[in-house]
Amino acid sequence: MVADPAELRGALVVVTGAAGRIGRCLVEALVSAGATVVGLDLARFCPPGDGRYLACDITDETAVRDTVARIVADHGRIDVLVHCAGLSAIGAFEDHDLATHRRVMEVTHFGAVAVTLAALPALRAAAGRIVVVGSVAGFAPVLGRPPYVAAKHAVTGLFTALRAELAPSGVRVTLVHPTFVAGGMTEASDRAPGRERASTGRELTPADVAAAIVAGIAQGRDLVLIGRTAWLSWYVNRLAPGLYVRLMTRRLRATGTAAGRGTPG
């Protein structure tokens, strides 16, 4: 099990969504820590000529199985699996059709399911670790992105349950919840007119998130909250959920209008 910084050296780490903003920073941070990294993403996003990346559509179950088998054949093991892939959809509930809701869930939740199912034998053999890059939206309501909130709640709930199920086999689960990240993320459909991304508190950089993920893996942590807003949201939502909703709604609506960005919900 990867439980201290020294053990990242030589570890084989698979990262999904590896060509995204956070994904690329995470690949570099893990390599700097001494890990061997295999980054998975769609072929059109993978950096050309970079042997650390493999093209893989995580919504294609056959492609996932074949890619994971190739990784195990090439490297002999998987020590850490990081689920970094995800899609968002900005706007109110009715701004998006059912296909958009399904697409966000397919990538963010079911993609993680598919890759985990394929990689689990190798992770068990290595007594490895699964890392889920979640969000404040994974444990609390966040205005203006209901498909994303639904998908992040789903994947967070699944791997919270799997932590206890997998523990006897030596596989550990780390849940990572950053607050808003500068630049946002890929969206599942064209954004509705007037619906802009609002945020609250200091936005993190992708490098901030990557550094915190690497530290969480190295320290063997079960939960990593990144950013002051994430910490406040975690505790306020549990102790006073009504207060959390009022504060979140007020702040997100204020940032949406103050910056000339449409109210997100």
Side-chain angles (χ1 to χ4, degrees):
M1 178 179 69
V2 175
D4 64 67
E7 290 191 40
L8 271 174
R9 290 194 292 272
L12 192 286
V13 185
V14 176
V15 180
T16 72
R21 291 184 181 91
I22 294 173
R24 291 197 190 206
C25 289
L26 183 55
V27 169
E28 298 301 331
L30 287 164
V31 170
S32 295
T36 298
V37 182
V38 179
L40 307 182
D41 216 312
L42 296 175
R44 66 179 181 272
F45 297 136
C46 291
D50 191 331
R52 298 173 301 183
Y53 289 80
L54 285 179
C56 181
D57 180 353
I58 64 170
T59 69
D60 181 333
E61 187 178 2
T62 300
V64 167
R65 286 199 303 264
D66 291 346
T67 301
V68 170
R70 174 181 171 182
I71 293 169
V72 175
D74 288 347
H75 299 277
R77 60 191 294 137
I78 297 175
D79 297 295
V80 181
L81 170 61
V82 184
H83 294 297
C84 198
L87 286 178
S88 185
I90 303 299
F93 175 69
E94 292 174 296
D95 286 338
H96 304 292
D97 60 12
L98 182 58
T100 298
H101 286 263
R102 281 180 170 153
R103 179 63 179 163
V104 173
M105 188 69 74
E106 188 71 26
V107 173
T108 307
H109 176 65
F110 288 114
V113 173
V115 180
T116 301
L117 284 170
L120 200 50
L123 286 165
R124 283 198 176 104
R129 182 170 293 273
I130 300 169
V131 181
V132 180
V133 183
S135 167
V136 170
F139 63 79
V142 177
L143 194 68
R145 47 196 47 82
Y148 181 68
V149 172
K152 285 297 187 183
H153 268 69
V155 75
T156 297
L158 170 65
F159 284 93
T160 299
L162 283 181
R163 181 181 285 132
E165 181 175 324
L166 297 177
S169 65
V171 177
R172 301 294 185 252
V173 174
T174 297
L175 293 171
V176 180
H177 296 302
T179 185
F180 296 96
V181 179
M185 61 188 301
T186 304
E187 295 183 38
S189 65
D190 292 337
R191 193 177 298 178
R195 299 292 187 182
E196 297 299 328
R197 176 182 177 270
S199 62
T200 181
R202 184 185 76 84
E203 289 191 329
L204 303 167
T205 68
D208 292 333
V209 178
I213 292 169
V214 171
I217 295 170
Q219 296 162 10
R221 294 170 60 187
D222 289 342
L223 176 67
V224 180
L225 299 172
I226 312 176
R228 181 173 181 270
T229 299
W231 281 92
L232 288 174
S233 298
W234 179 266
Y235 289 105
V236 174
N237 184 59
R238 277 156 176 72
L239 297 174
L243 174 62
Y244 166 82
V245 170
R246 290 195 298 274
L247 291 173
M248 176 271 301
T249 302
R250 185 175 66 200
R251 291 179 180 179
L252 286 181
R253 283 184 172 154
T255 59
T257 54
R261 297 177 288 184
T263 302

